Short mmCIF file of all heavy atoms in Angstrom, two decimals:
data_model
loop_
_atom_site.label_atom_id
_atom_site.label_comp_id
_atom_site.label_asym_id
_atom_site.label_seq_id
_atom_site.Cartn_x
_atom_site.Cartn_y
_atom_site.Cartn_z
N ARG A 517 8.31 -6.00 2.14
CA ARG A 517 7.63 -5.25 3.19
C ARG A 517 7.69 -3.73 2.96
O ARG A 517 7.57 -2.94 3.89
CB ARG A 517 8.15 -5.62 4.58
CG ARG A 517 7.76 -7.01 4.97
CD ARG A 517 8.65 -7.60 6.01
NE ARG A 517 8.19 -9.00 6.40
CZ ARG A 517 8.52 -10.08 5.58
NH1 ARG A 517 9.22 -9.97 4.47
NH2 ARG A 517 8.06 -11.26 5.95
N GLY A 520 2.81 -3.65 2.07
CA GLY A 520 2.31 -4.98 2.24
C GLY A 520 1.29 -5.39 1.19
O GLY A 520 1.28 -6.54 0.81
N LEU A 601 -0.93 -13.28 1.82
CA LEU A 601 -0.46 -12.21 0.97
C LEU A 601 0.66 -12.56 0.03
O LEU A 601 1.14 -11.81 -0.75
CB LEU A 601 0.00 -10.99 1.83
CG LEU A 601 -1.00 -10.49 2.85
CD1 LEU A 601 -0.45 -9.31 3.62
CD2 LEU A 601 -2.31 -10.01 2.19
N MET A 603 3.69 -13.30 0.82
CA MET A 603 4.96 -12.62 1.22
C MET A 603 6.14 -13.56 1.15
O MET A 603 6.01 -14.72 1.53
CB MET A 603 4.80 -12.15 2.68
CG MET A 603 5.08 -10.65 2.86
SD MET A 603 4.60 -10.15 4.51
CE MET A 603 4.06 -8.49 4.18
N GLY B 1218 3.95 2.62 12.00
CA GLY B 1218 5.04 2.48 11.06
C GLY B 1218 4.96 1.22 10.30
O GLY B 1218 5.97 0.81 9.63
N SER B 1219 3.82 0.59 10.18
CA SER B 1219 3.60 -0.64 9.51
C SER B 1219 3.82 -0.60 8.03
O SER B 1219 3.90 0.51 7.45
CB SER B 1219 2.21 -1.13 9.80
OG SER B 1219 1.60 -1.78 8.72
N CYS B 1220 4.02 -1.78 7.38
CA CYS B 1220 4.11 -1.84 5.96
C CYS B 1220 2.74 -1.86 5.27
O CYS B 1220 2.62 -1.94 4.06
CB CYS B 1220 4.89 -3.07 5.54
SG CYS B 1220 3.95 -4.59 5.54
N ASN B 1221 1.72 -1.82 6.04
CA ASN B 1221 0.29 -1.87 5.73
C ASN B 1221 -0.25 -3.30 5.57
O ASN B 1221 -1.47 -3.49 5.45
CB ASN B 1221 -0.17 -0.93 4.61
CG ASN B 1221 0.07 -1.48 3.17
OD1 ASN B 1221 0.10 -2.68 2.90
ND2 ASN B 1221 0.20 -0.53 2.27
N GLY B 1222 0.63 -4.30 5.66
CA GLY B 1222 0.21 -5.73 5.66
C GLY B 1222 -0.69 -6.02 6.80
O GLY B 1222 -1.72 -6.66 6.68
N CYS B 1223 -0.28 -5.53 7.99
CA CYS B 1223 -1.11 -5.82 9.21
C CYS B 1223 -2.46 -5.14 9.05
O CYS B 1223 -3.49 -5.67 9.50
CB CYS B 1223 -0.35 -5.29 10.41
SG CYS B 1223 0.95 -6.39 11.02
N GLU B 1224 -2.54 -3.94 8.52
CA GLU B 1224 -3.77 -3.24 8.34
C GLU B 1224 -4.77 -4.09 7.48
O GLU B 1224 -5.98 -4.11 7.73
CB GLU B 1224 -3.61 -1.81 7.71
CG GLU B 1224 -3.18 -0.78 8.76
CD GLU B 1224 -1.97 -1.12 9.46
OE1 GLU B 1224 -0.96 -1.58 8.88
OE2 GLU B 1224 -2.00 -0.92 10.71
N THR B 1257 0.20 -1.42 15.33
CA THR B 1257 0.99 -2.25 14.35
C THR B 1257 2.27 -1.53 13.97
O THR B 1257 2.38 -0.31 14.07
CB THR B 1257 0.17 -2.48 13.11
OG1 THR B 1257 -0.07 -1.24 12.41
CG2 THR B 1257 -1.19 -3.15 13.35
N GLY B 1258 3.20 -2.31 13.50
CA GLY B 1258 4.41 -1.74 12.89
C GLY B 1258 5.44 -1.47 13.99
O GLY B 1258 5.17 -1.41 15.16
N PRO B 1259 6.73 -1.26 13.49
CA PRO B 1259 7.75 -0.76 14.40
C PRO B 1259 7.38 0.70 14.62
O PRO B 1259 6.74 1.28 13.76
CB PRO B 1259 9.00 -0.92 13.61
CG PRO B 1259 8.61 -0.81 12.17
CD PRO B 1259 7.19 -1.32 12.08
N ALA B 1284 0.23 -5.77 17.62
CA ALA B 1284 -0.12 -6.79 16.67
C ALA B 1284 0.93 -6.88 15.60
O ALA B 1284 1.23 -5.90 14.96
CB ALA B 1284 -1.52 -6.52 16.03
N GLY B 1285 1.48 -8.10 15.36
CA GLY B 1285 2.43 -8.30 14.34
C GLY B 1285 3.88 -8.34 14.80
O GLY B 1285 4.16 -7.77 15.89
N ASP B 1286 4.72 -8.97 14.06
CA ASP B 1286 6.09 -9.14 14.47
C ASP B 1286 6.80 -7.80 14.61
O ASP B 1286 7.64 -7.60 15.47
CB ASP B 1286 6.88 -10.03 13.50
CG ASP B 1286 6.37 -11.49 13.55
OD1 ASP B 1286 5.63 -11.81 14.51
OD2 ASP B 1286 6.71 -12.29 12.64
N CYS B 1287 6.48 -6.82 13.75
CA CYS B 1287 7.12 -5.57 13.82
C CYS B 1287 6.80 -4.85 15.13
O CYS B 1287 7.65 -4.23 15.77
CB CYS B 1287 6.64 -4.62 12.66
SG CYS B 1287 7.34 -5.07 11.09
N ALA B 1288 5.53 -4.93 15.53
CA ALA B 1288 5.13 -4.24 16.77
C ALA B 1288 5.83 -4.92 17.92
O ALA B 1288 6.24 -4.25 18.90
CB ALA B 1288 3.61 -4.39 16.93
N CYS B 1291 10.18 -5.17 16.07
CA CYS B 1291 10.59 -4.44 14.92
C CYS B 1291 10.79 -5.29 13.63
O CYS B 1291 11.02 -4.71 12.58
CB CYS B 1291 11.89 -3.61 15.14
SG CYS B 1291 11.69 -2.39 16.41
N GLY B 1292 10.72 -6.55 13.82
CA GLY B 1292 10.78 -7.48 12.63
C GLY B 1292 11.98 -7.18 11.74
O GLY B 1292 13.12 -6.99 12.25
N VAL B 1293 11.78 -7.14 10.43
CA VAL B 1293 12.87 -6.90 9.52
C VAL B 1293 13.44 -5.46 9.55
O VAL B 1293 14.48 -5.17 9.01
CB VAL B 1293 12.51 -7.19 8.04
CG1 VAL B 1293 12.17 -8.65 7.86
CG2 VAL B 1293 11.35 -6.28 7.57
N PHE B 1294 12.70 -4.60 10.26
CA PHE B 1294 13.08 -3.16 10.31
C PHE B 1294 13.96 -2.88 11.56
O PHE B 1294 14.30 -1.68 11.78
CB PHE B 1294 11.81 -2.27 10.31
CG PHE B 1294 10.95 -2.48 9.11
CD1 PHE B 1294 9.71 -3.05 9.23
CD2 PHE B 1294 11.45 -2.15 7.81
CE1 PHE B 1294 8.90 -3.27 8.10
CE2 PHE B 1294 10.70 -2.39 6.70
CZ PHE B 1294 9.41 -2.94 6.88
N GLY B 1316 2.99 -12.87 14.16
CA GLY B 1316 2.67 -13.05 12.79
C GLY B 1316 3.10 -11.94 11.87
O GLY B 1316 3.24 -10.82 12.34
N CYS B 1317 3.35 -12.23 10.66
CA CYS B 1317 3.75 -11.20 9.73
C CYS B 1317 3.07 -11.44 8.37
O CYS B 1317 3.60 -12.08 7.55
CB CYS B 1317 5.31 -11.26 9.52
SG CYS B 1317 5.87 -9.96 8.34
N PRO B 1318 1.90 -10.82 8.24
CA PRO B 1318 1.11 -10.26 9.30
C PRO B 1318 0.35 -11.40 10.01
O PRO B 1318 0.22 -12.45 9.48
CB PRO B 1318 0.05 -9.39 8.46
CG PRO B 1318 -0.03 -10.09 7.21
CD PRO B 1318 1.28 -10.72 6.90
N PRO B 1319 -0.11 -11.09 11.24
CA PRO B 1319 -0.97 -12.07 11.88
C PRO B 1319 -2.21 -12.22 11.02
O PRO B 1319 -2.74 -11.30 10.50
CB PRO B 1319 -1.32 -11.47 13.25
CG PRO B 1319 -0.85 -10.06 13.17
CD PRO B 1319 0.04 -9.86 11.99
S1 SF4 C 1003 4.47 -7.52 10.96
FE1 SF4 C 1003 4.78 -7.96 8.81
S2 SF4 C 1003 2.88 -7.32 7.86
FE2 SF4 C 1003 2.90 -6.36 9.90
S3 SF4 C 1003 3.78 -4.37 9.59
FE3 SF4 C 1003 5.51 -5.74 10.04
S4 SF4 C 1003 6.24 -6.38 8.04
FE4 SF4 C 1003 4.23 -5.56 7.68
#
Side-chain angles (χ1 to χ4, degrees):
Chain A
R517 288 157 181 81
L601 305 180
M603 233 171 214
Chain B
S1219 143
C1220 79
N1221 82 26
C1223 280
E1224 277 56 45
T1257 65
D1286 292 347
C1287 286
C1291 298
V1293 296
F1294 302 113
C1317 179

